Amino acid sequence: MKFYSVVFILITACTACFHSGYAQTAIKHFIFFSRDREGIHDSAFYKHPGIAGAQITYPWKTLEPSKGEYNFKEIEEDIAFLRLHGKKLFIQVQDVTFDSTRLNIPAYLLKDPVYNGGANAQYGFTPDGRPVKAGWVARRWDPAVAARFHLLLQQLARQFDGKIEGINLPETSVDLPETGELRPSGFTRASYVAAIKQNMQVLKSSFKKSVPLLYANFMPGDSGSDSKADLEAVYQYARQIKLAMGGPDIKVYRPFQMINSYPLIRDMAGIAPTGVAVQEGNYSVINPKTGKPVTLPEIMDFATSYLKLSYIFWCTEEPYYRKEVLPMLRSLSVRNTH
């Protein structure tokens, strides 16, 4: 199809070496399977020449079912299968959910009072202002909880650094009340920023061979200038330590993202790798520049020409995945071999 040739030109045009020591050669395409680990056994994926590997989510509670007892069996199985087919694994360690019925942290954190409950509820609000639980997040700002999370990252590095393509932490955006009785104990903007920076430092110092990456899209209270300043502080620290950065959505020229994370991700190009996921719903958002549903070439153009990404993580939402994403990546692969 003709639009594939346009996409290919866009990709090769953005390939460059930058001044700060990180050389971007070409985008690596991964498929984001979330928790659908069985998806990697689909031959349409593992036989595809244009796909570098799989990004899979592993909940903290699965990786550390009891205190200090780690279970990395799923990761080991996935690495072995992917390696057999010439693919790589990108791990996403999940300590947050956006579903009030699900928790992703180990039970011992919930039970032992030293962890102050281990997690706090996220909240959305009804049109009349009533709070509604909208998921759970580990108490990232709590030193006792953070210490356990850092130990997990260090253990993962000891076992898998150099054996996986990379590891990413989930998005920084959480919906936690900053005031009132629903505000989590110990939570402030300052404590949250400090905790995110600690996670970044541990991630960077632990993984020397595989790519350590943080999803930083918004910060708590993300409609105000204060939260934008917090996000900028996180990216400034990332530039300082040269940590890979990115986020969970490619929403082409979406205004809210354009005044928050997107320019910051773009500015990381040439300093450290960058990666953003095309997640469920992204294939059908309205492109503000056209007023029409976004097309795959427009997503690729934005990812390459504007964001200048090192990685794209494509989700498996249908019918887009099989009808559009896989054929496009195959076309790009064929062209790259000629």
Side-chain angles (χ1 to χ4, degrees):
M1 297 176 68
K2 291 183 179 180
F3 72 81
Y4 290 145
S5 60
V6 175
V7 171
F8 176 70
I9 292 170
L10 290 169
I11 289 176
T12 54
C14 78
T15 297
C17 290
F18 296 91
H19 69 278
S20 299
Y22 172 71
Q24 179 173 329
T25 55
I27 289 178
K28 291 185 179 181
H29 298 279
F30 279 68
I31 302 302
F32 173 54
F33 288 100
S34 188
R35 281 296 292 156
D36 181 21
R37 295 175 53 239
E38 287 303 309
I40 67 175
H41 296 270
D42 177 6
S43 61
F45 159 74
Y46 69 73
K47 290 184 177 180
H48 198 296
I51 296 172
Q55 183 190 41
I56 298 177
T57 298
Y58 302 92
W60 183 359
K61 68 180 181 181
T62 301
L63 300 174
E64 190 186 11
S66 59
K67 186 175 181 178
E69 297 293 329
Y70 299 103
N71 182 354
F72 298 156
K73 182 180 178 182
E74 288 187 353
I75 296 176
E76 291 167 345
E77 291 175 349
D78 294 340
I79 289 174
F81 180 82
L82 291 168
R83 182 184 293 133
L84 186 65
H85 297 283
K87 307 296 184 190
K88 300 286 283 186
L89 177 65
F90 219 105
I91 291 172
Q92 179 166 311
V93 181
Q94 200 76 7
D95 68 339
V96 62
T97 69
F98 300 92
D99 178 346
S100 63
T101 66
R102 292 173 48 243
L103 275 157
N104 272 342
I105 68 167
Y108 76 86
L109 291 173
L110 305 174
K111 297 174 182 177
D112 190 332
V114 73
Y115 303 112
N116 300 302
N120 283 101
Q122 300 194 70
Y123 287 91
F125 291 88
T126 62
D128 60 358
R130 290 183 294 109
V132 179
K133 285 184 179 178
W136 296 87
V137 61
R139 289 174 53 83
R140 295 169 174 171
W141 59 93
D142 188 313
V145 176
R148 296 305 313 173
F149 190 66
H150 297 161
L151 287 173
L152 170 65
L153 295 179
Q154 291 162 353
Q155 187 66 27
L156 285 165
R158 279 191 285 271
Q159 192 151 340
F160 299 114
D161 189 24
K163 298 179 181 178
I164 58 174
E165 177 75 17
I167 178 172
N168 72 282
L169 302 186
E171 61 189 87
T172 54
S173 176
V174 289
D175 292 317
L176 298 172
E178 296 182 62
T179 59
E181 62 181 17
L182 295 179
R183 183 182 72 85
S185 63
F187 172 77
T188 63
R189 283 181 44 228
S191 68
Y192 191 73
V193 171
I196 295 299
K197 287 183 178 180
Q198 269 197 321
N199 284 350
M200 295 165 71
Q201 190 279 324
V202 171
L203 195 64
K204 178 67 176 181
S205 63
S206 299
F207 286 87
K208 305 292 189 182
K209 300 175 183 177
S210 302
V211 175
L213 185 151
L214 172 70
Y215 277 178
N217 50 349
F218 307 106
M219 295 292 275
D222 54 23
S223 61
S225 59
D226 288 342
S227 64
K228 184 177 179 180
D230 290 345
L231 188 65
E232 290 172 347
V234 166
Y235 274 86
Q236 182 178 5
Y237 186 61
R239 289 193 291 272
Q240 178 184 329
I241 66 173
K242 293 182 170 54
L243 179 73
M245 297 292 282
D249 291 286
I250 297 183
K251 296 182 176 180
V252 174
Y253 293 109
R254 181 65 68 90
F256 195 43
Q257 282 77 5
M258 291 295 291
I259 62 172
N260 283 282
S261 62
Y262 285 172
L264 298 172
I265 294 171
R266 175 189 172 94
D267 289 346
M268 288 296 299
I271 297 172
T274 53
V276 182
V278 181
Q279 296 198 339
E280 189 166 340
N282 293 179
Y283 294 121
S284 57
V285 299
I286 300 299
N287 183 344
K289 292 197 170 187
T290 66
K292 300 177 181 179
V294 71
T295 65
L296 216 61
E298 288 170 350
I299 293 175
M300 285 297 305
D301 180 23
F302 185 71
T304 57
S305 299
Y306 181 81
L307 290 175
K308 302 183 183 297
L309 296 179
S310 313
Y311 294 92
I312 299 178
F313 307 102
W314 301 92
C315 82
T316 58
E317 182 182 4
E318 299 292 6
Y320 312 98
Y321 175 59
R322 291 183 186 277
K323 289 187 176 181
E324 297 186 48
V325 176
L326 293 182
M328 181 193 68
L329 296 182
R330 183 174 296 277
S331 177
L332 294 174
S333 174
V334 170
R335 292 178 182 276
N336 276 323
T337 61
H338 290 82

